[in-house]
Amino acid sequence: MKDIRPIRGAALLRRMVAEGEHETQDFKFAISDARKIARSISAFANHKGGRLLIGVKDNGVIAGVRNDEDIYVVEQAAERYCNPPQTVTFKAYRLEGSVHVIVAEIERAESRPVSVVEQGGKLKSYYRVADENIAAHPLMERAWRLASDPCAPPLTERHYALAALFDEPGTRLDERTIALRMHITLAEAEALIARLAAAGLVSFAFDGTRFLPATPVDDIED
């Protein structure tokens, strides 16, 4: 475990806490479940990156870190339960007296998906939406893999025909609707969606229940 010396930064820390929890920030009063922390790391790494403020309650109350072993649990989460393993950087901010908060920074992954090794060895990826870690749609994972695959198939007329369905801003269509409109099988529709998403011509938007293929301007990503 790293030996992290607390630095003075009460004003900066309070500004971060005042932001509340959002798509790149999460509060953790205490760290006890490495696999649960791995889900947060996965969600941040698959999105824009983010930070965990350890020693801060969900309501924004700064309680301070109770156990320095929290750092070890986060490291275990990143190295043992994330696939591929992720790097987390730590800073400790000292407040009044002996109170200090640890900020764990997670970068956006260069290669996605970053998955979590769940119980039983099953791999599951997450994505950050507002202040929640949401299980990624399988087509999102497929698109991420294609985006980093130099042998990904080229775009065809069919791909552009599908992209045309998303010309209107805010358009969201599920895979079955796309299959029906294009008179193709569900498997063919899924393959087209994944390739278009890898090319940035279609993305995914969360409707509160699930991720749906959507126009890039309606995207939850950059």
Side-chain angles (χ1 to χ4, degrees):
M1 183 180 69
K2 298 179 178 64
D3 180 20
I4 302 172
R5 181 173 298 177
I7 61 175
R8 293 184 181 276
L12 174 58
L13 177 63
R14 292 188 189 283
R15 285 198 295 271
M16 287 191 285
V17 172
E19 295 176 9
E21 294 182 307
H22 50 69
E23 64 179 8
T24 59
Q25 180 166 281
D26 202 2
F27 298 158
K28 295 295 180 185
F29 173 47
I31 304 293
S32 58
D33 187 334
R35 186 173 276 113
K36 184 176 180 180
I37 295 303
R39 295 177 189 129
S40 292
I41 295 172
S42 167
F44 284 140
N46 287 326
H47 191 212
K48 299 177 180 179
R51 61 190 177 226
L52 301 172
L53 272 59
I54 306 168
V56 180
K57 296 183 178 181
D58 289 343
N59 60 5
V61 171
I62 300 175
V65 174
R66 298 183 301 171
N67 189 343
D68 287 340
E69 289 296 307
D70 287 348
I71 299 173
Y72 173 75
V73 178
V74 174
E75 289 179 326
Q76 284 287 92
E79 297 170 6
R80 181 176 178 181
Y81 291 106
C82 285
N83 183 28
Q86 297 298 294
T87 299
V88 180
T89 57
F90 299 90
K91 287 184 180 179
Y93 291 86
R94 185 170 64 237
L95 279 73
E96 297 79 10
S98 61
V99 175
H100 65 277
V101 169
I102 295 171
V103 177
E105 295 274 359
I106 298 100
E107 297 292 331
R108 175 185 169 121
E110 293 184 4
S111 180
R112 300 182 291 176
V114 173
S115 302
V116 175
V117 183
E118 298 285 4
Q119 289 186 347
K122 181 180 179 180
L123 295 178
K124 192 172 184 178
S125 302
Y126 294 83
Y127 194 88
R128 190 75 174 175
V129 178
D131 61 350
E132 295 186 82
N133 304 323
I134 308 296
H137 192 293
L139 288 183
M140 294 171 71
E141 296 179 304
R142 189 169 171 180
W144 291 334
R145 292 189 179 97
L146 283 170
S148 59
D149 183 358
C151 298
L155 298 179
T156 66
E157 290 185 5
R158 257 189 173 181
H159 290 101
Y160 291 113
L162 172 55
L165 297 181
F166 293 91
D167 277 348
E168 290 296 321
T171 299
R172 302 182 185 189
L173 299 170
D174 64 28
E175 307 91 288
R176 294 187 182 279
T177 300
I178 290 170
L180 288 171
R181 288 196 183 184
M182 296 186 68
H183 306 289
I184 57 178
T185 67
L186 180 59
E188 289 172 324
E190 291 173 340
L192 292 175
I193 293 165
R195 183 64 185 91
L196 275 187
L201 298 178
V202 165
S203 190
F204 296 89
F206 190 67
D207 69 355
T209 303
R210 57 178 177 164
F211 287 104
L212 291 171
T215 53
V217 293
D218 194 34
D219 189 7
I220 52 177
E221 300 187 59
D222 289 337

